[in-house]
Amino acid sequence: MWNRFSIKVQLILFMTLVISIVEISTLFVILDIQQKDSKNNAILDANTITKSLNNDLLKVVLNPTTDSLADITFRLSAFKKIDGLILLDTQHKPIFTYGDEKSILNQKTQILKENIIHTDDNMLIKENLEAENYTFGYTLININLSQYKQKHQDITQTILLIFPFTLLLGIIISIFLSKSYTLPFSRLLAAMKESDPTKDKITIVQTSAKNEIRELFDEFNMQMEQINNSSKEVRLLNEEIEDTQKEVVFTMGAIGESRSKETGNHVKRVAQYSKLLALFYGLSESEADMLKQASPMHDIGKVAIPDAVLNKPGRFTQEERIIMDTHAQLGYDMLKNSHRELLQLAATVAYEHHEKWDGTGYPQGLKGEEIHIAGRITAIADVFDALGSERVYKKAWDDERIFDLFKEQRALHFDPKLVDIFFDNLDEFLKVREQFKDV
């Protein structure tokens, strides 16, 4: 439960607890000292009284006359702290009593044995009556402690009155200290949240402290610098890997196309067409660029098709068409086990770029938006370029014939929205074709 509180609250509670314990402990210590002081003062008062009346008490012991007893009674009445007094001879027989002798007599035996008996309200003290080192008798004095207790109560009330102010002061000091102690950690936490070394964003924390806080800040700054440097190296390596991966993908796509006697510019044009369609369709720049890198692999499965079928100049027989159509599945099988996002997308493109919007395509017979957008885009890009290019089995089509086919196959072969995008931005596609035309 303690850990649910913030460090600042924990410090305030801890300081408040310490102050409370110290003040309560101080109160008990003072009360104990006062109690001992009362006892000592009572004993001192008893000694003082006994000494001041020593000669008169001796006279009473030796010759107890009426006048001497009256004189002792008068003098004792001046001592307000005395509730009672009994004068005993050496045989412990009462010679003279004053005040409340009953409470003394009730504990006479114990007093004679222990010399001092302390209760909450009174102290019973035995004092020897001596002269010339000879004991003539004893006085048993009952000292009233009410005056001492009143003094204790006054001191206690003063302490209790000061206590809340001291506690408040302690809380204020603890709040100030808690801020001083938690501020560096708050700054450090803020710097950690603001920093992102993977994006070259580092917040350096400064401090004027000369203690462990400076060491903590310096270590944090050093760690951030090291992470930043390491992140830069990782980013460079990732960029190099991605560039290599893109090169390999493009080269593999070109190899696949070259087996069917097509030029490397075909995959370049398909890649550019695919990116344009993706952007006009509403995909993000990164998604469009990813498709541009993946689309050259759409016919990678052709590397597994026999040359006799792949490069046949005439129409395919039914058996040859079945073999040729397996290139979509073959391409997918080549790429599907990769964990790379680019190759996963390339696998999808290879698998679905021959699917048709009306569900009559292959190899899965997908329909409409069941077909991945990458497959639908690549289908238009590939067909547009293939029809306008010469193949071993056909001549290149003129633009009007290609455009008529696209219009006819809108919502049949092709995604109708993509067909509309193609015609709305036709000039852009023709620019790409001109830029990467076959020599």
Side-chain angles (χ1 to χ4, degrees):
M1 180 178 179
W2 181 254
N3 290 330
R4 293 180 181 179
F5 298 109
S6 65
I7 294 177
K8 183 183 293 185
V9 173
Q10 289 184 29
L11 282 172
I12 293 172
L13 292 176
F14 178 74
M15 291 292 292
T16 303
L17 181 63
V18 169
I19 292 169
S20 299
I21 291 173
V22 169
E23 291 198 351
I24 292 172
S25 300
T26 302
L27 178 60
F28 278 108
V29 169
I30 290 174
L31 289 175
D32 183 63
I33 292 173
Q34 288 176 344
Q35 191 174 25
K36 291 178 180 178
D37 186 55
S38 298
K39 182 178 179 180
N40 292 333
N41 287 336
I43 294 172
L44 182 61
D45 287 342
N47 289 331
T48 302
I49 293 169
T50 302
K51 288 179 181 180
S52 65
L53 300 174
N54 190 68
N55 292 333
D56 294 325
L57 291 171
L58 281 174
K59 290 178 183 180
V60 173
V61 172
L62 298 174
N63 185 20
T65 64
T66 302
D67 291 339
S68 62
L69 294 174
D71 185 51
I72 287 294
T73 301
F74 176 75
R75 294 188 64 184
L76 285 171
S77 65
F79 296 97
K80 302 299 184 183
K81 297 177 182 178
I82 297 177
D83 278 353
L85 180 144
I86 297 177
L87 179 62
L88 305 175
D89 62 15
T90 55
Q91 301 302 316
H92 299 163
K93 293 180 180 181
I95 300 172
F96 169 76
T97 62
Y98 170 79
D100 182 16
E101 73 272 11
K102 287 183 180 180
S103 59
I104 301 175
L105 291 172
N106 289 337
Q107 302 185 67
K108 174 184 172 183
T109 304
Q110 188 177 354
I111 300 171
L112 292 172
K113 183 179 179 181
E114 298 181 9
N115 294 328
I116 298 175
I117 297 177
H118 187 272
T119 65
D120 289 338
D121 298 320
N122 297 83
M123 180 175 286
L124 302 173
I125 303 171
K126 169 192 168 188
E127 290 286 343
N128 294 337
L129 191 60
E130 298 176 342
E132 300 294 333
N133 294 324
Y134 180 78
T135 301
F136 292 93
Y138 309 94
T139 56
L140 304 182
I141 306 173
N142 183 1
I143 303 293
N144 189 319
L145 300 178
S146 59
Q147 294 186 27
Y148 302 110
K149 291 181 67 176
Q150 183 60 46
K151 180 181 177 182
H152 299 167
Q153 290 175 358
D154 293 341
I155 295 174
T156 302
Q157 288 177 355
T158 302
I159 294 174
L160 292 176
L161 185 64
I162 295 173
F163 178 80
F165 295 101
T166 308
L167 183 61
L168 179 61
L169 179 62
I171 292 173
I172 293 172
I173 294 173
S174 64
I175 292 173
F176 173 76
L177 290 176
S178 66
K179 287 183 178 180
S180 299
Y181 282 115
T182 58
L183 181 59
F185 296 102
S186 299
R187 291 176 57 197
L188 189 63
L189 182 61
M192 292 174 67
K193 291 180 178 179
E194 292 172 3
S195 298
D196 187 354
T198 61
K199 297 180 180 178
D200 288 334
K201 185 180 179 182
I202 297 178
T203 301
I204 301 298
V205 285
Q206 305 289 346
T207 179
S208 58
K210 305 295 182 182
N211 50 25
E212 291 85 350
I213 298 296
R214 173 174 287 279
E215 294 180 14
L216 179 64
F217 280 20
D218 290 345
E219 184 66 23
F220 170 79
N221 293 333
M222 184 177 70
Q223 290 291 338
M224 286 294 102
E225 287 288 348
Q226 290 177 349
I227 294 173
N228 184 47
N229 292 335
S230 298
S231 297
K232 287 180 179 178
E233 293 177 6
V234 170
R235 282 200 302 276
L236 289 174
L237 288 173
N238 283 337
E239 288 173 5
E240 186 174 342
I241 290 172
E242 289 176 3
D243 290 343
T244 302
Q245 182 177 279
K246 291 173 183 177
E247 251 185 71
V248 169
V249 167
F250 183 83
T251 302
M252 289 178 65
I255 291 172
E257 297 294 347
S258 67
R259 288 205 60 241
S260 58
K261 308 301 181 182
E262 295 176 11
T263 68
N265 280 349
H266 169 66
V267 292
K268 290 180 182 179
R269 290 191 296 267
V270 169
Q272 293 295 334
Y273 296 153
S274 296
K275 182 175 181 178
L276 282 176
L277 283 168
L279 290 173
F280 293 141
Y281 185 83
L283 299 186
S284 67
E285 183 71 32
S286 60
E287 290 172 324
D289 192 61
M290 180 76 73
L291 180 56
K292 175 187 174 183
Q293 306 303 326
S295 59
M297 297 283 281
H298 65 281
D299 279 337
I300 188 62
K302 288 182 178 179
V303 298
I305 302 299
D307 286 345
V309 175
L310 186 64
N311 295 316
K312 182 180 179 180
R315 284 185 172 274
F316 293 137
T317 65
Q318 184 176 358
E319 291 78 9
E320 290 170 337
R321 169 53 61 188
I322 292 173
I323 293 172
M324 187 62 181
D325 288 352
T326 62
H327 80 277
Q329 181 70 53
L330 290 170
Y332 175 69
D333 291 340
M334 291 177 188
L335 303 170
K336 67 180 181 180
N337 294 321
S338 173
H339 297 295
R340 295 287 181 179
E341 187 178 4
L342 176 59
L343 294 180
Q344 283 288 324
L345 183 61
T348 299
V349 168
Y351 201 29
E352 299 185 15
H353 75 286
H354 281 296
E355 300 288 352
K356 294 183 179 181
W357 185 260
D358 62 3
T360 60
Y362 68 89
Q364 303 175 83
L366 299 178
K367 184 177 181 180
E369 292 188 356
E370 293 175 358
I371 308 167
H372 193 284
I373 184 60
R376 284 181 271 150
I377 287 174
T378 306
I380 288 183
D382 182 39
V383 171
F384 174 62
D385 194 73
L387 292 177
S389 303
E390 188 173 338
R391 296 285 190 269
V392 293
Y393 53 85
K394 73 169 188 69
K395 296 293 183 179
W397 288 22
D398 60 57
D399 286 346
E400 289 303 319
R401 187 180 178 188
I402 296 172
F403 299 157
D404 288 342
L405 176 71
F406 271 40
K407 292 173 183 177
E408 292 172 4
Q409 293 299 314
R410 182 183 182 277
L412 296 175
H413 186 158
F414 306 117
D415 180 341
K417 182 178 179 180
L418 289 173
V419 173
D420 294 340
I421 289 172
F422 174 78
F423 283 115
D424 289 343
N425 300 276
L426 183 59
D427 290 343
E428 297 295 327
F429 294 95
L430 296 179
K431 286 179 184 178
V432 170
R433 187 174 68 178
E434 181 63 25
Q435 182 181 356
F436 296 99
K437 65 181 178 180
D438 295 327
V439 177

